[in-house]
Structures are given as structure tokens and as C-alpha cells.
Amino acid sequence: MLSEPEAIGRIVKIDGDFVEISIPRSERCKACGICPLGENDTVLLRVKANTPLRVGERVKIRTEDRYVIFSAFILYIIPVIALIGGYFLGGLVSSSEIFRIVFGFLFMGISFLVNRFIDKRIKFPQVIEPVE
């Protein structure tokens, strides 16, 4: 997934319905390291093409706002809900405050694993438009 809803890059490879786009790495994603790196500090993004494109062509790629908001919800809100829910569920199992806290953090850790699974499985649609 992109760190911004919109970016401009260059097509470096076409493989059937998919294109590989080289996008300059932004300041917001320099520390992340999830995306595969290309040459000259770029990110390589593999996306299903919805229009005919050529290698070397400059394109604008964007993600619709609703998918960006949904991604942020999954990434930031679900772990907090899991932490709080785990805390209260831990209270049903034991009255110990330490046990409740450990149970909360256990559920939050499980939510990170679920987030990772979701990130691997769900690919939000990207809109690719040629740039003049």
C-alpha cells in the first residue's frame, strides 16, 4: 500500500495484466522498509493495470480516500480495540490486575498478526493514469 494516496512514478516492467512502477521514496516511508526497494532510493510497486501502458511511461497512481481511511482504521484502531477488549476479557478470567494487563497486551499482539495477514491478502484497487 502507498504511504500517500497519490504518487507519480515510471513503469519499469509489464507482466501480463500487472505493471511494476518505480516511485520515488517519500519522507514518510523512509523508515518503514516494507516495500521492495528499486534503484536510486525508489519503491517498486506491483499493480494491476486498468489501461494499456508502456515501459518507461510516467504514470500517476492513486488510492481512493475510502481505502486510505479503511487502512488507517485497521492499522491503528483495531489494536487499541483489541487491547481494551483483552483487558476486560482478562477480568472475566481473573481478578488480578496484572493478568488483565497481560491479557490486553496479548490480544493487541494477536491483532498485529491479524493486521499482517490482512495486509498480505487484501490489495486495494489503485487507479493508474498516464502523466503528460
Side-chain angles (χ1 to χ4, degrees):
M1 188 175 316
L2 291 173
S3 61
E4 283 93 22
E6 184 174 290
I8 294 179
R10 188 170 305 279
I11 296 178
V12 294
K13 183 179 175 185
I14 297 176
D15 183 20
D17 289 344
F18 291 90
V19 294
E20 197 168 285
I21 303 171
S22 176
I23 300 171
R25 205 166 176 184
S26 71
E27 288 298 318
R28 289 176 31 186
C29 74
K30 288 215 181 207
C32 178
I34 290 177
C35 299
L37 294 178
E39 298 175 1
N40 302 328
D41 205 26
T42 59
V43 176
L44 295 176
L45 185 64
R46 183 175 163 88
V47 180
K48 186 169 184 168
N50 49 5
T51 59
L53 301 165
R54 298 179 312 271
V55 173
E57 189 172 12
R58 283 176 38 106
V59 292
K60 177 170 64 171
I61 183 168
R62 64 183 168 82
T63 305
E64 293 182 29
D65 290 340
R66 64 182 172 166
Y67 296 119
V68 174
I69 293 168
F70 182 65
S71 296
F73 177 79
I74 290 172
L75 188 63
Y76 298 112
I77 304 301
I78 297 295
V80 173
I81 291 171
L83 175 70
I84 294 169
Y87 176 82
F88 287 113
L89 285 174
L92 296 175
V93 176
S94 173
S95 62
S96 167
E97 189 70 21
I98 295 294
F99 188 79
R100 290 175 140 193
I101 292 169
V102 168
F103 216 71
F105 279 107
L106 177 68
F107 270 57
M108 186 172 73
I110 291 170
S111 77
F112 290 140
L113 294 174
V114 170
N115 277 349
R116 186 170 172 89
F117 176 79
I118 289 172
D119 185 49
K120 299 268 186 217
R121 297 287 186 257
I122 295 179
K123 299 295 180 198
F124 295 120
Q126 308 285 327
V127 178
I128 303 172
E129 303 165 343
V131 174
E132 301 286 321

